[in-house]
Amino acid sequence: SELVGGLPGAMRLGLETTFWCETYNAALPYLNEHAQPGDSVWVENPFVLRTYQRIGLLREDLQATGGDIIGPYAADYALVQIRETGFDYYTPEAASVVQRETPVYTLARQGVVLLQLYKVR
């Protein structure tokens, strides 16, 4: 909100800058164009990607996986929403991907990174 200085202010205060997988759709064109047939994509919530597949926004041959079932390094791609509490609370392995890997796609607004896609395998 403007009260905290928008996204940059929220980030400085340690507030969530994104939540509930609303940024996943920004990476769909990249995945549709660059992923190999049958590639797997790790995300915090794979059900969102499966919904995009059902409505025709994401290729059906891609395998949406993730959550707490497997870690991001077990997939071909890791789609990481840069969610402050997500790294400590829900997906600490995603923090490892962000620290160790180079993104192939980044979504940022007002200079704040909201989502990054990594080719991890």
Side-chain angles (χ1 to χ4, degrees), residues 5 24 26-27 33 38 51 71 73-74 76-77 86-88 92 97 121:
Y24 287 0
E33 183 177 343
T51 298
Y73 283 105
D76 297 295
Y77 285 91
F87 294 135
D88 297 330
V97 171
R121 191 166 57 142

Side-chain angles (χ1 to χ4, degrees), residues 41-57:
V41 182
W42 179 92
V43 292
E44 185 177 350
N45 185 337
F47 303 107
V48 174
L49 286 189
R50 292 179 191 140
T51 298
Y52 286 135
Q53 286 177 313
R54 279 195 297 278
I55 63 174
L57 296 177

Side-chain angles (χ1 to χ4, degrees), residues 32-104:
N32 286 331
E33 183 177 343
H34 297 284
Q36 297 299 308
D39 272 357
S40 55
V41 182
W42 179 92
V43 292
E44 185 177 350
N45 185 337
F47 303 107
V48 174
L49 286 189
R50 292 179 191 140
T51 298
Y52 286 135
Q53 286 177 313
R54 279 195 297 278
I55 63 174
L57 296 177
L58 180 64
R59 289 182 5 215
E60 290 183 15
D61 65 289
L62 299 178
Q63 305 299 310
T65 187
D68 58 357
I69 297 170
I70 70 163
Y73 283 105
D76 297 295
Y77 285 91
L79 183 57
V80 180
Q81 186 167 256
I82 308 301
R83 200 165 64 82
E84 288 71 10
T85 59
F87 294 135
D88 297 330
Y89 169 69
Y90 190 68
T91 55
E93 285 183 299
S96 173
V97 171
V98 171
Q99 292 168 353
R100 296 173 30 188
E101 306 295 332
T102 301
V104 295

